[in-house]
């Protein structure tokens, strides 16, 4: 059975009334970004660096809007100090991280942050939900979102390369 | 003889700027109505708190580089209310990308004011890049801000005040202030949850 995990994630974001979709893109997020762009009640907020998104979403919550931060694993390393904002103030922070450097990666420069991503996030006080089975994507994102917005807390769904498919650049 | 450490940075000029930060911030916040304020870490937090420890201030004790981006998220969530970010030059420089993210979003209700003393004031008054030729308002305009200006005299500041509070944004002002040490004075609560909860209660009503 084919699983449209992007559509599953989009449905979860819509159910949780996500309004601000902050992102630094990744190929693995491309379909979700497109889907959110088509949704009239969601606003795309492209960032120059991932840490901006943590501050943007803190402001969104102060103003009573929910958001999500989309990034790839290399971007997690850009976020460390700004994650203290979410932790100290207990801002709800839902992160969706596409993994690179993890499973069949062809680019060795992606490997260090790929390997460090769960450690860095947990060290910064985030819950981490790895997903390697596309069929579990939607329910995992929903579980993370519930803890984020009803906690509040911060949580990251790690979308494994086994889900996305290892990037090859056609090689 | 000491210039070799700082390239083209000018270590003297900001000591002669006539505007004083406490008076500037007091005027920015006078008769604030329902204005929402984000204060960047360091002296802008003390300046804002010296006026009033107001629940619609969100003072940052950390998260350096995040003030303008936080103001953006708030402005997008509350498009009918004015958001004023008051931060320092060092804090703004750490988050320059946010300037371009704001330019991309065009929040009409957002003003960003940098109290620019050309110094890292909390760490020993080391020079920042604005002590050189860096032109923050020019960068803001290039990033897509609707308006941006440098302010360096009392007349210019008084003329800019109505726009800072009400002009169609996003707007950016670099207010050149005298490089001076001030006593910290009143501090806002340090507890982030308290700051967040009281802000939301003041904006949205009791949870």
């Amino acid at each position: 059975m084919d699983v449209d995990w992007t559509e599953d994630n989009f449905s979860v974001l819509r159910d949780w009334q996500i309004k601000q979709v902050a992102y630094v893109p990744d190929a693995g997020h491309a379909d979700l970004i497109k889907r959110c762009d088509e949704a009239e009640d969601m606003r795309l907020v492209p960032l120059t660096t991932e840490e901006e998104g943590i501050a943007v979403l803190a402001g969104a919550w102060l103003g009573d809007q929910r958001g999500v931060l989309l990034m790839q694993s290399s971007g997690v390393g850009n976020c460390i100090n700004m994650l203290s904002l979410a932790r100290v103030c207990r801002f709800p922070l839902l992160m969706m991280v596409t993994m690179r450097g993890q499973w069949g990666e062809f680019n060795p420069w992606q490997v260090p942050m790929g390997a460090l991503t769960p450690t860095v996030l947990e060290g910064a006080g985030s819950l981490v939900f790895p997903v390697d089975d596309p069929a579990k994507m939607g329910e995992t994102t929903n579980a993370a979102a519930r803890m984020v917005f009803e906690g509040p807390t911060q949580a990251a769904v790690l979308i494994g390369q086994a889900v996305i498919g290892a990037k090859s650049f056609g090689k | 003889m000491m210039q070799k450490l700082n390239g083209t940075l000018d270590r003297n000029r900001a000591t002669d700027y006539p505007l004083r930060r406490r008076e500037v911030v007091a005027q920015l916040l006078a008769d604030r109505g329902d204005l929402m304020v984000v204060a960047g870490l360091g002296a802008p937090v003390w300046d804002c708190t010296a006026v009033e420890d107001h629940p619609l201030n969100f003072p940052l004790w950390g998260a350096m580089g995040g003030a303008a981006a936080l103001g953006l998220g708030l402005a997008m969530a509350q498009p009918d209310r004015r958001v004023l970010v008051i931060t320092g030059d060092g804090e703004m420089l750490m988050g320059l990308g946010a300037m371009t993210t704001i330019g991309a979003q065009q929040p009409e209700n957002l003003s960003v004011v940098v109290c620019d003393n050309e110094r890292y004031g909390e760490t020993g008054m080391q020079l920042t890049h604005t002590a050189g030729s860096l032109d923050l308002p020019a960068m803001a305009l290039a990033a897509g801000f609707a308006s941006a200006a440098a302010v360096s005299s009392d007349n210019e500041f008084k003329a800019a005040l109505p726009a800072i509070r009400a002009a169609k944004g996003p707007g950016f002002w670099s207010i050149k202030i005298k490089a001076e040490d001030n006593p910290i004075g009143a501090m806002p609560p340090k507890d982030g949850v308290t700051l967040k909860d009281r802000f939301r209660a003041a904006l949205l009503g009791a949870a």
Side-chain angles (χ1 to χ4, degrees):
Chain A
M1 182 183 80
D2 277 354
V3 174
D4 188 343
W5 57 270
T6 291
E7 190 60 28
D8 292 347
N9 274 338
F10 175 73
S11 294
V12 171
L13 298 183
R14 200 177 44 197
D15 289 347
W16 283 96
Q17 298 172 298
I18 298 297
K19 302 294 185 206
Q20 297 190 22
V21 181
Y23 69 91
V24 174
D26 181 49
H29 284 311
D31 290 342
L32 182 61
I33 291 167
K34 188 159 176 286
R35 198 71 179 81
C36 293
D37 194 21
E38 291 163 357
E40 282 190 6
D41 59 345
M42 291 184 182
R43 181 168 182 161
L44 291 185
V45 187
L47 310 164
T48 67
T49 177
E50 294 80 358
E51 64 186 302
E52 278 172 26
I54 295 163
V56 166
L57 297 185
W61 181 252
L62 284 181
D64 206 28
Q65 281 193 344
R66 292 174 178 172
V68 67
L69 173 58
L70 312 180
M71 60 183 149
Q72 63 171 275
S73 48
S74 300
V76 170
N78 293 344
C79 292
I80 298 174
N81 183 52
M82 203 62 77
L83 284 167
S84 61
L85 172 65
R87 181 173 183 170
V88 169
C89 302
R90 289 187 70 213
F91 278 111
L93 176 61
L94 178 62
M95 296 173 277
M96 302 190 62
V97 181
T98 45
M99 295 303 297
R100 296 287 310 271
Q102 179 205 35
W103 192 83
E105 176 64 54
F106 87 104
N107 180 352
W109 293 49
Q110 294 280 0
V111 173
M113 267 317 301
L116 277 167
T117 285
T119 306
V120 162
L121 286 168
E122 285 171 350
S126 179
L127 301 170
V128 172
F129 297 89
V131 181
D132 290 311
D133 176 359
K136 299 237 169 97
M137 192 76 251
E139 65 190 67
T140 306
T141 304
N142 189 53
R146 171 167 292 130
M147 295 180 77
V148 164
F149 295 115
E150 293 186 358
T153 188
Q154 50 177 304
V157 178
L158 307 185
I159 306 173
Q161 270 179 307
V163 173
I164 305 161
K167 194 171 182 174
S168 71
F169 290 115
K171 292 184 174 61
Chain B
M1 60 192 164
M2 291 168 67
Q3 287 180 356
K4 66 180 179 176
L5 291 175
N6 291 295
T8 60
L9 304 187
D10 186 330
R11 65 173 66 247
N12 297 315
R13 69 183 181 199
T15 58
D16 293 328
Y17 290 151
L19 290 170
R20 312 285 294 272
R21 62 181 317 134
R22 285 285 157 92
E23 285 137 43
V24 162
V25 172
Q27 290 187 63
L28 286 171
L29 298 181
D31 304 317
R32 58 186 284 170
D34 62 3
L35 181 73
M36 298 186 285
V37 175
V38 177
L41 87 171
V45 168
W46 323 137
D47 297 337
C48 289
T49 308
V51 179
E52 183 185 358
D53 181 28
H54 196 289
L56 287 177
N57 289 351
F58 195 75
L60 291 162
W61 285 85
M64 187 165 175
L70 198 150
L72 170 63
L74 177 58
M76 292 190 296
Q78 290 285 332
D80 297 327
R81 303 261 306 240
R82 193 78 183 183
V83 176
L84 172 61
V85 175
I86 302 175
T87 192
D89 42 306
E91 205 277 345
M92 188 72 244
L93 287 166
M94 193 173 280
L96 274 183
M99 214 183 237
T100 69
T101 298
I102 290 166
Q105 294 294 327
Q106 292 292 307
E108 295 182 0
N109 56 331
L110 177 64
S111 293
V112 178
V113 167
V114 171
C115 292
D116 186 357
N117 62 358
E118 307 178 359
R119 301 287 189 279
Y120 293 100
E122 302 299 299
T123 56
M125 300 297 272
Q126 298 89 353
L127 300 181
T128 70
H129 295 32
T130 61
S133 57
L134 175 59
D135 186 341
L136 284 176
M139 294 183 79
L141 284 176
F145 275 66
S147 60
V151 171
S152 55
S153 71
D154 194 50
N155 283 342
E156 286 174 2
F157 178 56
K158 284 193 165 56
L161 265 173
I164 293 171
R165 291 285 289 272
K168 183 176 170 182
F172 181 93
W173 289 266
S174 165
I175 300 179
K176 290 290 189 176
I177 52 165
K178 181 179 176 65
E180 58 182 342
D181 272 324
N182 283 309
I184 289 175
M187 290 184 177
K190 285 181 192 167
D191 180 57
V193 177
T194 299
L195 295 168
K196 175 192 67 172
D197 287 348
R198 74 176 193 172
F199 189 102
R200 281 175 54 94
L203 175 63
L204 307 166

